[in-house]
Amino acid sequence: MSDLFQRRLSLVVAGISLSCLVACSSSGKSHTTRPLPVATAAQSVVKTVAPSYAAPGDALQAAKVDPDKLLNRISWGANASSSAALQTLSMDLYLDQQLHRPNAVLPAAIQTQIDGMTIVQQPFPEMMFVLEAQREAAAQKKGSDDTLRKAYQQELTRLAREAASRSLLRAVYSPAQLQEQMVWFWMNHFNISNQKQNLRAMLGDFEEQAIRPYALGNFRDLLRATMMHPAMLRYLDNEHNAVGRINENYARELMELHTMGVGSGYTQSDVQELARVLTGVGINLSSTAPHLRSELQKAYFRKGLFEFNPKRHDFGDKQLLGKSIRGHGLAEVDETINLLSRQPATARFISRKLAMYFVSDSPSPALIDSMAQSFRRSDGDISSVLKTMFDTPEFAASLGLKFKDPLHYVIASIRLAYDGASIINTSPMLNWLNSLGQQSNGHQTPDGYSLEESSWASPAQMASRFDIAKTIAAGSPGLFRSENQELKIAAKDLPRPALANSEYVKNWVKKFSPQSQQALQQAGSPQEWAAFFLATPEMMRR
């Protein structure tokens, strides 16, 4: 790469770093969560109705929203293809379809890649039984032969990489872009680290069975699905939670991170009582059921790897959030899910987090209140809450201002640069995300990756993004080469970044700041122009 290009790019780097730091100090204000009142059983009783989906209005059209900015917010990144799809409809109708009738059909070449993955071809319980047998065989050779242990660990890593690749391919290519955004949001909300035991092999099924079906559905159903997935029960240690040996870890995170939030009024006693409700809720990685006395056998329940073992359950009555829960086995869990999901604190906590993801780091109390009311009125219908948010002037005014985390930056760049080309190897993208500090399921603690600008807008982060911008602009041949075969396509035949010569991109650039347009004019080649474009402040925001 020429010295002139390096000098020009350094000017862009300096300008963007400064703009990002200024933005952090001005728009990235810290938000202090106000303590919420203690929730009582009476407060948790709300009149529930089936969600009614009104015909789309004209809020976005009336607000004269920029279509490209809307796409950049509700999708993983605007490109010519998504812009063409939006232009066949009004913005409001397009958003309505994304909320309620998304088309999730992938391009055939991408679907074929996904269909060939082990996590798709092999039933999850069967796969885990095989892996458990491998683990046990490796344990027997511990100290004498490390070959089996290494093979077992490598297989776990391969399966986790499949899950991460499938997620990226869907994010890049699925027409159901809002759904894909919400899948990641909930995966991050119900975060599970890939670094514990055999969780790497469970992440794909967790996304597919516990998150994806409910990403735009009912929060109560979503909460129940995550609560009964073996990945969550293993990650937060509830498989070790039993009568006489209480483990409060999952109960605490369930209230603090998944539903009500810190400072919302629950007490340590509530955590302890919730932990008692969850005793016996665990996993079984063998094909056989435990031996139980006849009077307990009818209370036993198993589905896949999920197991409720009544021998390990505390059948005493509980007092949770001011409500009495009679000890009667697994049904206590469903009763508790209803109780937690219908708390006013839960409505506010989930609404605020959604607003942080889609609007700003510091959403207004009025916006949170209106979203929380929609949450309670619809009994936790996620699409209804999102629609309430999308229809507000605050959402419209925020478009183009939300700072992209690494995942949004990488996916948006690929969607724009390679619109119409089919990636066959996501390894470069996974490596870029690792270098930017946002590895797939790599956050070790259950709070997930930060949604705030201040966590990502550092000079070091910007420098890494500029390196990635140069790589993408140069062609990124690794995206189109299988790891298992030599590159047989001539370099001239590889897909090239469709940026400098794209009419869509050129029209978009007309809306950029004078400083960004001036920087782009300094480019001496299409490759330099593409690198400059991907490094502009406008590409750092959505």
Side-chain angles (χ1 to χ4, degrees), residues 31 34 347-348 351-352 355 359 362-374 385 388-389 392-395:
H31 181 86
R34 294 179 296 172
R348 286 188 59 83
S351 295
R352 177 178 179 269
V359 181
S362 302
S364 70
L367 175 62
I368 297 171
D369 286 344
S370 64
M371 293 172 65
Q373 290 173 12
S374 178
V385 178
T388 297
M389 177 188 69
T392 63
E394 187 169 345
F395 171 77

Side-chain angles (χ1 to χ4, degrees), residues 151-448:
Y152 170 70
Q153 292 296 331
Q154 288 171 357
E155 180 64 1
L156 294 181
T157 298
R158 188 186 70 82
L159 293 170
R161 199 172 185 86
E162 277 195 350
S165 294
R166 181 174 63 181
S167 298
L168 283 178
L169 289 172
R170 284 169 166 168
V172 172
Y173 293 104
S174 175
Q177 282 288 293
L178 181 58
Q179 181 185 37
E180 295 305 322
Q181 284 244 51
M182 289 305 298
V183 168
W184 185 86
F185 174 85
W186 292 121
M187 283 290 288
N188 193 57
H189 180 79
F190 295 102
N191 181 58
I192 293 176
S193 170
N194 61 18
Q195 300 183 34
K196 185 174 183 179
Q197 296 183 34
N198 61 353
L199 289 178
R200 279 168 286 170
M202 296 186 180
L203 290 169
D205 191 77
F206 181 71
E207 176 184 324
E208 198 71 3
Q209 300 300 325
I211 299 295
R212 181 167 293 277
Y214 313 102
L216 286 167
N218 186 276
F219 179 75
R220 183 179 62 254
D221 297 336
L222 173 65
L223 182 64
R224 188 178 193 275
T226 61
M227 190 181 290
M228 294 191 167
H229 196 280
M232 182 64 72
L233 298 174
R234 170 148 289 183
Y235 176 53
L236 292 178
D237 302 317
N238 207 75
E239 62 178 323
H240 305 302
N241 184 22
V243 59
R245 298 190 305 278
I246 296 292
N247 187 308
E248 300 175 2
N249 193 25
Y250 182 35
R252 180 172 291 103
E253 306 302 358
L254 188 55
M255 301 185 85
E256 178 179 323
L257 297 176
H258 296 176
T259 56
M260 297 175 65
V262 177
S264 56
Y266 67 84
T267 66
Q268 174 59 22
S269 176
D270 289 320
V271 173
Q272 293 169 342
E273 293 295 274
L274 178 55
R276 290 180 61 211
V277 169
L278 295 173
T279 51
V281 174
I283 68 178
N284 188 340
L285 291 180
S286 73
S287 57
T288 60
H291 178 72
L292 298 171
R293 300 192 308 270
S294 58
E295 62 270 23
L296 293 177
Q297 287 179 358
K298 62 182 179 180
Y300 176 80
F301 177 81
R302 178 170 184 175
K303 182 177 182 181
L305 302 182
F306 173 84
E307 177 182 76
F308 175 73
N309 187 341
K311 187 177 181 180
R312 297 167 56 84
H313 183 67
D314 181 345
F315 277 90
D317 294 344
K318 291 91 177 173
Q319 271 305 113
L320 179 61
L321 298 172
K323 179 178 176 59
S324 296
I325 297 178
R326 183 175 61 84
H328 54 300
L330 185 58
E332 298 170 41
V333 175
D334 279 323
E335 191 174 345
T336 298
I337 290 170
N338 289 335
L339 179 63
L340 289 173
S341 64
R342 290 170 175 163
Q343 291 295 309
T346 298
R348 286 188 59 83
F349 182 70
I350 299 301
S351 295
R352 177 178 179 269
K353 198 164 182 180
L354 285 168
M356 288 182 65
Y357 186 61
F358 280 107
V359 181
S360 74
D361 291 0
S362 302
S364 70
L367 175 62
I368 297 171
D369 286 344
S370 64
M371 293 172 65
Q373 290 173 12
S374 178
F375 187 102
R376 299 189 69 202
R377 185 169 55 249
S378 65
D379 197 22
D381 182 69
I382 297 164
S383 292
S384 296
V385 178
L386 290 175
K387 182 65 164 62
T388 297
M389 177 188 69
F390 290 142
D391 282 349
T392 63
E394 187 169 345
F395 171 77
S398 75
L399 296 177
L401 302 178
K402 183 83 174 126
F403 193 78
K404 292 177 182 176
D405 60 14
L407 189 64
H408 278 89
Y409 176 72
V410 168
I411 296 176
S413 298
I414 293 299
R415 277 176 57 80
L416 197 56
Y418 293 108
D419 186 15
S422 295
I423 292 169
I424 64 172
N425 184 5
T426 61
S427 291
M429 296 177 69
L430 293 171
N431 293 337
W432 296 336
L433 290 169
N434 290 348
S435 70
L436 294 173
Q438 202 174 21
Q439 179 191 30
S440 179
N441 293 102
H443 195 76
Q444 294 188 36
T445 53
D447 54 341

